[in-house]
Amino acid sequence: MAGIEDVARLAGVSASTASRALNGHPRISAETVRRVAEAAQTLGYVASSSAYTLATGRNRNIGVVLPYVERWYFGTVLAGIDSRLMQAGYDLSLYNFNGSSEQRASVFTDFLLRRRVDALITVAVKLEAGELDVLHRLGKPVLAVGGPVPGASTLRIDDFGAAKLATLHLLSLGHSRIALIGGDAASEMDFRQPETRHGGYLEAMADHGIDVPDSWFFPADFTVGGGYAAAKTALSDPRLSFTALFAASDEMAIGAVLAARDLGMRVPEDVSIVGIDGHDLSEFFGLTTVAQAPRDQGARAADLILEALSGGEAAEATDTVWPIELVVRSTTTRNHGA
Amino acid sequence: MAGIEDVARLAGVSASTASRALNGHPRISAETVRRVAEAAQTLGYVASSSAYTLATGRNRNIGVVLPYVERWYFGTVLAGIDSRLMQAGYDLSLYNFNGSSEQRASVFTDFLLRRRVDALITVAVKLEAGELDVLHRLGKPVLAVGGPVPGASTLRIDDFGAAKLATLHLLSLGHSRIALIGGDAASEMDFRQPETRHGGYLEAMADHGIDVPDSWFFPADFTVGGGYAAAKTALSDPRLSFTALFAASDEMAIGAVLAARDLGMRVPEDVSIVGIDGHDLSEFFGLTTVAQAPRDQGARAADLILEALSGGEAAEATDTVWPIELVVRSTTTRNHGA
DNA sequence: TTGAAAGCGCTAACAT
DNA sequence: ATGTTAGCGCTTTCAA
C-alpha cells in the first residue's frame, strides 16, 4: 500500500509538504496542492488511521453505545447517525450491550479506554454513576440520545409529555379504565424511558381525578412478545374491564393489538390501544401513536456531536428537545360502554 | 491517562517487560506478571489502540458491511456478530450503505483503505468486480454472510433450496396458482437473495409441470410495506385468482397477510401465505416460514473470521452452509378450491 | 512556501 | 527473564 512518502516522491516534494497539501493547510502553492492530489489519486493513497491518530490525537471515529441493535428504535437511530457520520468522513464504532451486563461493563472498563473514539453517542441508556465517571475522565464529548444524562449534552423527546399526551387522548375519548403496559424490571435497568413514561401516564390520570391502582400496571420488556403477553393478562382478567390500553412503546402496542384479536376482541370497538414511537409498522396496524422520528434524531445527534468536536472544547452541555406528534389512526375510538 | 511507561515505573520494570507481561508473552517470571498486572490495574491502564496498531499492524477491530442496519435481518445478524466479537475483545466498525450508492462507493474507495480493520464481514451484499478488487488488494480475510462471494469465505443458507422448500410446501397442499412476491430492481442490485430465491420458486413450479407466466411475479422491496402493496395488487386482480402467495422474506409475507385481511380475505382459508427468514414477528402472525437463525449465523460468522485471523494467513476460502427449517404454522392450508 | 527532524505510545528485534 | 534501541506512518514544530 502506498504511504505518504510514495506520494511525496511522485509529486516531487517532501513528506511534510505532501501532508500539508493533503490536509488543506493554508500556505501551500496551488500548483503543489494539485500535483500532490494527483499523485495521491494515482497511487490510491489513503492515510493510515492509526498513524494519523497517533500523530494528531484525533480518530475521526465516533462510538455509539446502545443496548439492542436489532430492535427497530435503536437500529433506526443508528442508521440516522451513521449516514451523517459517513458523509462527514467519520468512522463509527458500535458498542452494543446485547442485553448483557457483562458486555455492558466491559464497554466502560475496557473498550472505551482504548481511545479509539473522539466522542460518544449513547442511545437511551441509563448511565450509572461509575459509567458517568469513566466518560468524564475520558474528557470526550458525550451526547445522550433519549437522555437526560447528568453533565452530558442530550437530544431527547419529552417522554413524560408523550406518555401524558397518549393517555390524555384516551381520556378525551371518554375512557377511564386505562391499563398501562410499561417497562419491567429489566428494562428499567437499561433505559430511561420506562419510568418517565409511566409518570406521564399517572399524571394524566391524576389530572382527571382517576386513582390508579397498582393492578392496572402490566410490566413487559418493550418487545411485541412482551406486549402481547401483558395485554393478554390485562384483557382476560374479568374483574378489571379495561376499555383502553396505553403501551409505552409501539412494539408493545402492536403485541397488544394482536393479543386483543386473539381474545376475540375488536380493536377499537371493544378496546382502544395507543402506543409511543411511530414505528414503521404502526401504519399497517392503524395504530394510534405519539410519533418521534428516530432516524432524523440520529442524524441530528451526529450533527451535534460533530459540532461539539469542531467547536471550542469547553462547550456547554446542551439539552435539545425533539418535537413529537400525536398521530390518530384506527386503534382508538370513543368509549361507548361508559 | 496512564501510559505503559507509568505502569512500568510503578511495577519497577522496563516498558518492554511491562508490555510483554501484559500481552502474555512466554518467558516472563510469574512474579513480574503479577506486579505489572497490579500496576496496570491501579492506574487503570489500557493500551492506546492506535499505538498498538501502528507497532503491530493489528487492529483488534473487525469491519461489518451491510446495506440496512435498521432492518430486522441485518440488525439481528449484526447483534450476533457483535456479541462474539466483544467477548473476544474485538471492536466493531460499522459500514452501513444506508441504501445509498454514494455511501456504498465511499466505503470501498475511502473508509476501508484506512486500514482500521483486520478483517471484514459482509452481510448479504452482492459485491461488484471493482469492490472485490479492493478487498483482494487489502489482503484481509473476508467472510460473506449470505454469500456467495467469489474468492471469499462464505456463510450462507441455501437460498435456492429454501425458496424451493417453501414453494413445494404450497404445492404439496394442492395449490398451483401461486404468486411470487420477490425482489424488485433496487433490491436486486443490493443483495444476492432475490434472484436466487426467485430461481428456487421457478424450479419447484417447473418440477410440478406448472408454467409460470411473468404476470405471477410481483416485485417488492423486502419491507412490510412493499409486501403489502405487492400482495394487494396480486390479490385484487380478478383474472389471476391466486390461492397462495410465496413471499421471498417474512417481512413481505407479513405485509401480504395484512393486505389479505384488508381485502376481506381470510388467511389461510382464502389464501395461503408462506415466507422465508424466521422473523421474530412470524410467530405472532402464525406465519408459515422457512426459518434461518440470523443471530446464530452472526455469532458463527464472528467465530469464523476470528479463526481466519488466528490461523495461518493463507487459509483456504471456506463455504459453510447453514441449515434451514420449514416451520408450518397457520397461514398455510390445503387448497379447497381446486 | 517548503524541508529536516522530532515525536505520538506502543511492540519487537537484538542484546545480555 | 529483562533492558536498550529502533521503528511502525503519519503530523507538526522549527528553520530556512
Side-chain angles (χ1 to χ4, degrees):
Chain A
M1 288 227 52
I4 197 160
E5 298 270 14
D6 302 307
V7 174
R9 203 174 307 122
L10 183 56
V13 296
S14 72
S16 41
T17 300
S19 170
R20 285 185 278 243
L22 257 11
N23 291 298
H25 282 223
R27 299 124 178 278
I28 300 292
S29 83
E31 169 60 9
T32 302
V33 169
R34 203 194 51 69
R35 285 222 317 286
V36 171
E38 187 180 306
Q41 176 74 41
T42 55
L43 295 175
Y45 170 81
V46 176
S48 149
S49 64
S50 54
Y52 170 82
T53 298
L54 195 53
T56 62
R58 271 168 259 127
N59 282 285
R60 294 199 191 162
N61 189 35
I62 305 286
V64 178
V65 177
L66 45 77
Y68 298 102
V69 237
E70 69 275 29
R71 295 196 188 169
W72 175 82
Y73 170 78
F74 297 101
T76 306
V77 171
L78 180 59
I81 293 172
D82 183 77
S83 80
R84 272 298 203 295
L85 250 29
M86 284 194 86
Q87 281 169 18
Y90 271 68
D91 279 76
L92 187 160
S93 283
L94 177 66
Y95 299 103
N96 179 28
F97 297 156
N98 272 295
S100 144
S101 50
E102 296 106 70
Q103 284 195 33
R104 177 175 181 142
S106 70
V107 167
F108 291 93
T109 60
D110 184 24
F111 286 93
L112 255 25
L113 300 179
R114 295 179 184 172
R115 281 149 292 170
R116 224 187 263 279
V117 303
D118 295 322
L120 221 56
I121 298 177
T122 64
V123 185
V125 304
K126 190 157 85 176
L127 294 171
E128 292 161 22
E131 296 172 344
L132 265 172
D133 276 0
V134 170
L135 297 190
H136 283 143
R137 255 200 291 277
L138 238 39
K140 318 222 148 156
V142 176
L143 177 69
V145 176
V149 166
S153 291
T154 61
L155 171 63
R156 61 194 180 89
I157 62 166
D158 173 9
D159 281 290
F160 191 93
K164 195 167 173 180
L165 182 58
T167 310
L168 285 174
H169 169 64
L170 293 171
L171 289 163
S172 76
L173 289 171
H175 295 278
S176 54
R177 299 189 68 84
I178 304 171
L180 167 67
I181 298 180
D184 59 13
S187 50
E188 290 288 349
M189 304 283 298
D190 287 345
F191 324 120
R192 294 211 46 87
Q193 280 67 17
E195 55 186 310
T196 316
R197 293 182 182 177
H198 196 146
Y201 157 81
L202 288 177
E203 185 167 292
M205 296 295 269
D207 285 357
H208 278 244
I210 300 172
D211 190 42
V212 178
D214 289 349
S215 61
W216 288 17
F217 170 56
F218 298 85
D221 63 0
F222 273 72
T223 66
V224 173
Y228 180 90
K232 219 156 191 180
T233 307
L235 296 175
S236 348
D237 190 327
R239 292 160 313 193
L240 312 162
S241 38
F242 297 114
T243 65
L245 259 37
F246 162 50
S249 84
D250 278 358
E251 283 172 276
M252 293 193 292
I254 288 169
V257 169
L258 293 168
R261 279 187 194 162
D262 284 358
L263 288 170
M265 300 177 77
R266 291 164 304 161
V267 178
E269 292 82 357
D270 300 324
V271 60
S272 282
I273 298 174
V274 58
I276 293 187
D277 273 349
H279 192 288
D280 276 348
L281 288 180
S282 63
E283 197 182 331
F284 289 97
F285 284 93
L287 186 68
T288 295
T289 187
V290 177
Q292 49 177 328
R295 192 184 174 94
D296 295 338
Q297 281 186 65
R300 190 75 222 286
D303 285 343
L304 287 171
I305 208 78
L306 291 173
E307 276 171 30
L309 242 25
S310 64
E313 295 305 311
E316 291 291 304
T318 62
D319 182 25
T320 310
V321 177
W322 190 267
I324 51 175
E325 182 192 5
L326 177 68
V327 180
V328 179
R329 296 203 186 91
S330 55
T331 55
T332 50
T333 194
R334 182 150 286 285
N335 177 22
H336 294 293
Chain B
M1 289 225 53
I4 198 161
E5 298 270 13
D6 301 309
V7 174
R9 203 173 307 121
L10 183 57
V13 296
S14 72
S16 45
T17 300
S19 170
R20 286 186 280 243
L22 256 12
N23 291 296
H25 281 225
R27 298 123 179 277
I28 300 292
S29 83
E31 169 60 11
T32 301
V33 170
R34 204 194 53 67
R35 285 220 318 284
V36 171
E38 187 181 305
Q41 175 74 41
T42 55
L43 295 175
Y45 169 80
V46 175
S48 148
S49 63
S50 54
Y52 170 83
T53 297
L54 196 54
T56 63
R58 271 169 260 126
N59 283 284
R60 294 198 192 166
N61 189 35
I62 305 287
V64 178
V65 177
L66 44 76
Y68 298 103
V69 236
E70 70 275 27
R71 294 196 189 170
W72 175 82
Y73 169 77
F74 298 101
T76 306
V77 172
L78 180 59
I81 293 172
D82 183 77
S83 79
R84 271 299 203 293
L85 250 30
M86 286 194 85
Q87 281 169 19
Y90 272 68
D91 279 77
L92 186 159
S93 283
L94 178 66
Y95 299 102
N96 179 27
F97 297 155
N98 272 297
S100 145
S101 51
E102 297 107 70
Q103 283 195 35
R104 177 175 181 142
S106 71
V107 167
F108 290 93
T109 60
D110 184 24
F111 286 93
L112 256 23
L113 300 180
R114 296 178 183 173
R115 281 149 291 170
R116 225 187 260 279
V117 303
D118 296 321
L120 223 55
I121 298 177
T122 65
V123 186
V125 304
K126 191 157 82 176
L127 295 171
E128 291 161 23
E131 297 172 343
L132 264 172
D133 276 359
V134 171
L135 295 189
H136 283 143
R137 255 200 291 278
L138 239 39
K140 317 221 149 158
V142 176
L143 177 69
V145 176
V149 166
S153 291
T154 61
L155 171 63
R156 61 194 179 87
I157 63 166
D158 173 7
D159 281 290
F160 190 93
K164 194 167 173 181
L165 182 59
T167 309
L168 284 175
H169 169 62
L170 293 172
L171 288 164
S172 75
L173 290 171
H175 296 278
S176 54
R177 299 189 68 84
I178 304 170
L180 168 65
I181 298 181
D184 58 13
S187 50
E188 288 288 348
M189 303 283 298
D190 287 347
F191 325 120
R192 296 210 46 88
Q193 280 67 20
E195 56 185 309
T196 315
R197 293 181 182 178
H198 196 146
Y201 157 81
L202 289 177
E203 184 167 293
M205 295 295 269
D207 285 356
H208 277 243
I210 300 172
D211 190 41
V212 178
D214 288 349
S215 59
W216 288 17
F217 171 55
F218 298 84
D221 63 359
F222 273 72
T223 66
V224 173
Y228 181 91
K232 218 154 192 180
T233 307
L235 296 175
S236 348
D237 190 325
R239 290 162 312 192
L240 311 162
S241 39
F242 297 115
T243 64
L245 259 38
F246 162 50
S249 82
D250 278 358
E251 282 171 278
M252 294 194 290
I254 289 170
V257 169
L258 294 167
R261 281 187 193 163
D262 283 0
L263 288 170
M265 301 177 77
R266 291 164 306 160
V267 179
E269 292 82 357
D270 299 324
V271 60
S272 282
I273 298 174
V274 57
I276 293 187
D277 272 350
H279 192 289
D280 276 349
L281 289 180
S282 63
E283 198 182 331
F284 289 97
F285 284 93
L287 186 68
T288 295
T289 187
V290 177
Q292 49 176 327
R295 192 184 174 96
D296 295 338
Q297 280 185 65
R300 190 74 222 287
D303 285 343
L304 287 170
I305 208 77
L306 291 173
E307 275 170 31
L309 241 25
S310 65
E313 295 306 309
E316 291 293 303
T318 62
D319 182 25
T320 309
V321 177
W322 190 267
I324 52 175
E325 183 193 5
L326 176 67
V327 180
V328 179
R329 295 204 186 91
S330 54
T331 55
T332 49
T333 193
R334 182 150 285 285
N335 176 22
H336 295 295

